[in-house]
Amino acid sequence: MISWMQKHHKYMVWTIWVAAIGFIGAGSVGWGSLHFGSKATSVAKVGTIEISQQKINQAYSDLYSRYAQLFKGNFDDQKAKELGLLQQAFARVEVQAKLLNFAKENGIIVTDEEVAQQIASIPAFLTQDGKFDKKAYKTFLQNRHMKAKDFESTLKDDLTIQKTLSLLNLKVQPLEMESIASSMNIADKIAYKTISSDDINISIDDAKLKEFWNEHKTEYQTNTIYELAIIWEKNHDINATEDEMKSYYEANSFNFTDNNGKLLSFQEAKEQIKTKMELKATKKSAQLDYIALKKGKLAQPKTTKLTKNDTLLTQDVWNEIANKQKGDILKPKIINNKYAIIKIVSIIEPRTKTFEEAKDEVKTIYIAKLKKEKMLELAEKSVKNLQDNNPIITDFVKMDSIDKIQNLTKEESLHFLQNLFISNKEKAIIELSDKKVVVYNILEQRIEPVDNNMSKIIKPIVNKLKTELYQANLIDELNSKYKTEVYVKGLTK
């Protein structure tokens, strides 16, 4: 997935657009940061458009956030560097700038009214009755340390590109429909047999098992164990009045939203408000205890040993711990609605497990390996004389004939049929997983007539393929038309 993203990032501007709207769902824009060591506001120029440091930072922050989600939080600046995140961010902004040059040259514009309408349609900026909440908008900008003109300028660029690309949504022609429909409406009559590794019996030799472990023993490591001293701050009971809570809600209502970004009412957010207010009241004492612990004026609490990524702590905290050393103390962190001050007392590094420690794990992998080898050997023999092995014979099936395949789940049937209809082999083996394969033989083939339902399914697919082809060709054309000048090293490979 990641290698594909790196290879194709220049064509992904319309799928992963670093947009003003994207800030809202992503929360605070603070993922990753860059400093170019230059006082100049521009780091490059594409055609007639200057690229600012802020624009690159914005793109980098968005990409960093997306990769962090992809890696489930296990992502840091080092990995960002390894993946060339800065170069990806610049490539994306460069493509956007070329599209904006093209739009400008062809008189494609977005008015201030259109920008205002877009802002007024964003769920996070609406009241419960669907009206635009100017206060929520201002709070959003303040929380992200953004000026309204910068947000609206980014949004205008976003809408301009959307408008430009929308011009490439061309109508599907009858011949195009017919060509794609024919390829998708091929029907095969097949003979097939499923073979599962669960049906294969093998015997395990301890000497062979130990030999396998010895070849792969460096792969069997103990987990990193951290001995931590954790101070859990007790939340201050503020005994807030209803009016005080309402006042807090009105000043911070933007931070109380549901999963769809819609603002919660005061009553819906009441428990969250109380917790936030308690945490705010507790923050100072947590900071004082942190300073006292650093200066040795606070007794170290009883230590606890945790395996790395233990769920007692959040993934963000573990990511920070991974970059710390023995004796380091983390600044107060909010974990499960409490402040925690964490000191790293010791770190027990991973080591290679002994054979006895790793035996059960090794045995499971070794058995799976042998079974798969035996399963594939049996499949290779079966494909040569399938008709002699009592195969299942189907009627004519197409790519959507999921319910017509016996002995397979719907997911397995879908996987099998998708691979069957892209294969150019009359007889072959299709692996469904490490534990199951299908051996097949195509007996007959024909093209089915295209009905109205199939046309409805195919039309959006053809339209998407056609649009993406035109967009890719447009980018190639713009690459030769608008030249890029880079003022700062490191933005390109």
Side-chain angles (χ1 to χ4, degrees):
M1 173 67 177
I2 292 172
S3 60
W4 187 91
M5 287 172 71
Q6 288 177 295
K7 184 178 179 182
H8 298 278
H9 60 253
K10 67 179 181 178
Y11 298 126
M12 294 174 66
V13 62
W14 44 85
T15 8
I16 303 179
W17 164 246
V18 184
I21 298 174
F23 301 162
I24 300 166
S28 177
V29 182
W31 293 88
S33 58
L34 298 168
H35 179 64
F36 297 100
S38 171
K39 292 183 179 179
T41 56
S42 296
V43 295
K45 185 178 181 180
V46 179
T48 62
I49 295 175
E50 296 283 347
I51 305 297
S52 67
Q53 291 188 27
Q54 180 188 3
K55 195 75 170 177
I56 302 296
N57 260 316
Q58 177 183 314
Y60 183 88
S61 177
D62 180 79
L63 275 174
Y64 196 103
S65 173
R66 292 176 186 276
Y67 274 107
Q69 291 171 22
L70 193 64
F71 279 87
K72 297 181 179 179
N74 189 23
F75 192 74
D76 54 25
D77 291 342
Q78 181 59 37
K79 283 185 180 176
K81 189 174 181 181
E82 291 171 4
L83 289 170
L85 217 63
L86 173 58
Q87 290 76 29
Q88 286 190 50
F90 177 71
R92 191 151 304 163
V93 172
E94 182 184 19
V95 172
Q96 294 162 9
K98 288 179 179 181
L99 286 164
L100 290 171
N101 272 287
F102 179 74
K104 183 179 179 181
E105 188 175 312
N106 288 276
I108 301 169
I109 62 169
V110 169
T111 65
D112 292 342
E113 288 74 18
E114 287 175 293
V115 174
Q117 287 173 6
Q118 181 65 52
I119 292 173
S121 70
I122 297 172
F125 300 155
L126 303 181
T127 59
Q128 293 293 314
D129 56 1
K131 294 181 180 178
F132 178 66
D133 187 342
K134 190 174 181 180
K135 190 172 182 180
Y137 179 48
K138 285 184 176 179
T139 304
F140 163 77
L141 295 173
Q142 290 169 359
N143 289 346
R144 272 100 187 136
H145 308 291
M146 294 182 70
K147 294 179 180 178
K149 66 175 183 179
D150 293 330
F151 176 80
E152 289 160 16
S153 174
T154 301
L155 184 55
K156 179 176 278 192
D157 286 347
D158 181 18
L159 294 174
T160 302
I161 289 178
Q162 288 181 22
K163 186 179 283 189
T164 303
L165 294 176
S166 70
L167 299 176
L168 299 178
N169 291 330
L170 306 175
K171 290 184 178 179
V172 178
Q173 300 302 313
L175 182 60
E176 294 168 335
M177 277 285 293
E178 185 180 338
S179 300
I180 300 296
S182 296
S183 66
M184 293 183 69
N185 232 31
I186 293 174
D188 288 344
K189 184 176 184 179
I190 61 171
Y192 74 96
K193 181 181 180 179
T194 61
I195 300 175
S196 171
S197 65
D198 292 336
D199 300 327
I200 297 172
N201 295 316
I202 60 170
S203 56
I204 301 296
D205 182 290
D206 264 12
K208 292 282 187 182
L209 185 62
K210 193 164 187 177
E211 184 181 328
F212 177 78
W213 165 78
N214 202 45
E215 291 172 358
H216 302 274
K217 62 183 179 181
T218 56
E219 298 172 18
Y220 301 95
Q221 301 285 317
T222 61
N223 291 317
T224 305
I225 296 175
Y226 288 88
E227 185 180 6
L228 305 174
I230 307 176
I231 298 174
W232 295 96
E233 292 284 336
K234 185 179 179 181
N235 284 351
H236 291 194
D237 189 355
I238 55 172
N239 294 318
T241 65
E242 187 93 350
D243 287 342
E244 288 172 335
M245 292 177 70
K246 282 183 177 178
S247 177
Y248 183 87
Y249 170 76
E250 288 170 3
N252 300 276
S253 60
F254 186 83
N255 292 318
F256 301 103
T257 59
D258 62 16
N259 293 332
N260 297 318
K262 187 177 179 181
L263 289 175
L264 297 175
S265 67
F266 172 72
Q267 290 300 328
E268 290 170 330
K270 204 168 183 179
E271 285 303 313
Q272 293 182 42
I273 295 166
K274 183 175 183 293
T275 301
K276 292 282 187 185
M277 292 179 73
E278 288 176 347
L279 284 169
K280 184 178 179 182
T282 310
K283 184 176 181 179
K284 186 173 181 180
S285 61
Q287 290 173 330
L288 290 173
D289 282 347
Y290 163 71
I291 294 168
L293 186 61
K294 284 199 76 171
K295 292 181 176 180
K297 295 180 179 179
L298 187 67
Q300 180 176 295
K302 185 179 178 181
T303 63
T304 182
K305 289 184 178 179
L306 296 178
T307 301
K308 185 180 178 182
N309 297 326
D310 187 288
T311 55
L312 179 68
L313 308 180
T314 65
Q315 192 58 53
D316 286 343
V317 172
W318 279 118
N319 291 342
E320 187 170 342
I321 289 174
N323 294 314
K324 299 293 184 180
Q325 298 177 345
K326 175 183 175 181
D328 286 349
I329 302 173
L330 276 65
K331 291 181 179 179
K333 305 293 178 186
I334 297 175
I335 303 173
N336 293 327
N337 291 324
K338 284 186 179 180
Y339 272 105
I341 303 158
I342 303 169
K343 179 179 180 180
I344 303 172
V345 178
S346 66
I347 303 173
I348 303 172
E349 299 290 349
R351 60 169 175 79
T352 301
K353 293 180 180 179
T354 65
F355 175 67
E356 289 302 323
E357 287 174 327
K359 188 174 181 179
D360 289 343
E361 189 180 352
V362 173
K363 189 175 181 179
T364 301
I365 295 172
Y366 184 60
I367 289 173
K369 175 180 177 292
L370 289 183
K371 282 193 170 188
K372 184 177 181 181
E373 289 173 356
K374 295 290 184 183
M375 177 183 69
L376 292 175
E377 285 176 16
L378 181 58
E380 289 290 348
K381 291 177 183 177
S382 297
V383 78
K384 294 175 183 177
N385 57 350
L386 184 58
Q387 295 298 339
D388 300 330
N389 284 278
N390 299 317
I392 298 172
I393 308 295
T394 71
D395 195 355
F396 282 94
V397 295
K398 298 188 295 183
M399 196 178 292
D400 60 350
S401 303
I402 299 172
D403 295 328
K404 295 182 180 180
I405 307 298
Q406 301 176 40
N407 298 341
L408 297 180
T409 66
K410 285 188 176 182
E411 290 76 15
E412 289 172 338
S413 296
L414 178 61
H415 181 82
F416 169 63
L417 290 169
Q418 285 176 338
N419 282 274
L420 173 68
F421 284 101
I422 62 172
S423 173
N424 58 3
K425 296 179 180 179
E426 182 183 348
K427 300 179 179 180
I429 300 165
I430 292 175
E431 289 190 42
L432 302 179
S433 67
D434 287 340
K435 293 186 176 183
K436 186 182 281 189
V437 298
V438 178
V439 180
Y440 74 87
N441 183 1
I442 298 176
L443 305 176
E444 294 182 57
Q445 192 172 72
R446 71 187 185 195
I447 296 178
E448 301 279 352
V450 180
D451 57 26
N452 289 333
N453 287 334
M454 178 59 74
S455 297
K456 290 177 182 177
I457 295 170
I458 293 173
K459 189 172 182 178
I461 295 173
V462 178
N463 186 59
K464 185 173 184 292
L465 289 171
K466 189 173 181 179
T467 299
E468 288 181 352
L469 179 62
Y470 271 82
Q471 288 177 347
N473 288 334
L474 172 62
I475 298 300
D476 285 337
E477 179 68 23
L478 299 185
N479 284 339
S480 59
K481 187 171 185 178
Y482 303 112
K483 301 304 178 185
T484 301
E485 297 178 65
V486 180
Y487 310 143
V488 176
K489 291 182 178 179
L491 291 179
T492 56
K493 293 181 180 179

